[in-house]
Amino acid sequence: MIWQQLFNGLTVGSTYSLIAIGYTLIFGVLRIINMAHGQIFIFGSLVGLSLTVNSGLPFMVAFPVAIIVSGILGLVLEFTALRPLRKKNVPHLAPLISTIGFAILIEELTHVFFGADSRSVPAVGATVFHVGPLQMRVADLIIIGISLFLMVVLNYWIQKTKMGKALRATAENTETAGILGINTNAVIIMTVVVASALGGIAGMLIGIAYSALIPTMGLTLGFKGLAALILGGVGSIPGAMVCGVLIGMAEVLAVAYGDSSYRDAVAFGMIIVILLIRPQGLFGKKA
């Protein structure tokens, strides 16, 4: 039934949106794509999950742990792989390569601490109920609810708060923002930490959706977020929100009515088609 598949796609796609927003925030301020984003939030999520499984802490405790660890890793990324290069005024390609190196480091640490096997996530919201033709898990509603809430809060924060305006000014022109008295270094730190923390939340929600976390899934999920970023228009937060959901729905429909082996190819197929029609992305502006 197509409505059921669309609902399932909304559940998965809302987590892709959170990942894509992380990419968008960092690109908007630093003009680079953080290739370590996927590895950072999977590592943070696995730390949270391990505390729950090994120490018997409530699963909901894993959430803030995953957020904090992901945010700290974002901070480490900024101080070790981004800021030193920014001070040297190197070409834009250098920070991109630097984030790839950081991603490889985190990937290796993930293998050392968590191995390569899938980790089961304790059942959360397993109760199923029916609304008309739709079959819903409480977990699905939790995932959609948290994702939508965070998108609304983030949008308000960026558009209406003083810190959000400082972020937009820094994204527009770092030097001018500095002249106007904005502490651009603080804004950049905040942006990287918030983006990484959002990834940590997305990682935990994905664990709930699939009842498992796989140490290697950071790369694949990172590419899905990247696809939503490009599809929506690089730098567009509304575009990242909408296109993450669109990719999730397209994937689920491809599996339900096609071949599951094409699932991961759907996002990139959509990029090719959309960019041929609208090179700036669905929500992007022409340069």
Side-chain angles (χ1 to χ4, degrees):
M1 185 180 59
I2 191 167
W3 293 112
Q4 182 66 54
Q5 301 307 332
L6 290 175
F7 176 75
N8 295 340
L10 175 63
T11 305
V12 176
S14 59
T15 62
Y16 293 167
S17 295
L18 292 182
I19 298 171
I21 291 170
Y23 278 112
T24 303
L25 285 174
I26 292 179
F27 183 87
V29 173
L30 296 176
R31 292 290 183 267
I32 65 164
I33 292 176
N34 175 19
M35 298 302 290
H37 191 52
Q39 284 76 9
I40 284 175
F41 71 71
I42 281 297
F43 187 93
S45 302
L46 285 169
V47 170
L49 178 61
S50 295
L51 278 180
T52 300
V53 174
N54 299 330
S55 305
L57 293 173
F59 180 70
M60 295 313 295
V61 176
F63 248 100
V65 171
I67 295 169
I68 292 170
V69 172
S70 299
I72 290 173
L73 285 176
L75 199 61
V76 174
L77 172 73
E78 158 63 8
F79 279 100
T80 60
L82 298 179
R83 180 173 294 197
L85 297 180
R86 209 162 50 244
K87 287 182 177 177
K88 300 285 184 182
N89 199 25
V90 297
H92 279 296
L93 190 59
L96 176 68
I97 301 299
S98 184
T99 61
I100 292 174
F102 195 83
I104 293 171
L105 174 64
I106 298 298
E107 182 105 6
E108 290 302 318
L109 289 176
T110 304
H111 288 158
V112 169
F113 287 111
F114 306 107
D117 296 332
S118 172
R119 301 290 183 104
S120 297
V121 174
V124 175
T127 304
V128 177
F129 60 95
H130 295 80
V131 177
L134 295 180
Q135 181 176 315
M136 301 178 180
R137 294 182 306 163
V138 172
D140 296 330
L141 298 180
I142 291 173
I143 292 168
I144 294 171
I146 290 177
S147 299
L148 291 178
F149 173 75
L150 287 174
M151 290 180 208
V152 171
V153 169
L154 188 67
N155 192 57
Y156 177 84
W157 176 64
I158 290 174
Q159 298 297 331
K160 302 294 183 183
T161 68
K162 186 177 178 180
M163 188 62 80
K165 291 174 182 175
L167 186 151
R168 284 192 287 142
T170 304
E172 194 68 30
N173 190 306
T174 305
E175 291 183 1
T176 304
I179 292 171
L180 293 174
I182 295 172
N183 186 342
T184 54
N185 280 327
V187 170
I188 290 171
I189 290 173
M190 174 196 66
T191 303
V192 175
V193 170
V194 168
S196 301
L198 278 175
I201 297 171
M204 294 304 293
L205 294 180
I206 288 168
I208 293 174
Y210 293 113
S211 301
L213 281 175
I214 306 172
T216 55
M217 70 195 311
L219 183 64
T220 305
L221 291 172
F223 281 147
K224 302 284 177 62
L226 199 54
L229 167 76
I230 296 171
L231 198 61
V234 177
S236 169
I237 289 180
M241 292 176 180
V242 173
C243 290
V245 172
L246 288 178
I247 289 174
M249 288 181 172
E251 276 188 4
V252 171
L253 289 174
V255 172
Y257 299 105
D259 190 330
S260 61
S261 60
Y262 293 122
R263 177 176 189 148
D264 291 335
V266 168
F268 300 99
M270 290 176 68
I271 288 179
I272 294 170
V273 172
I274 294 298
L275 292 187
L276 284 174
I277 301 170
R278 190 175 166 82
Q280 69 271 33
L282 291 177
F283 290 78
K285 297 177 182 176
K286 287 186 177 179

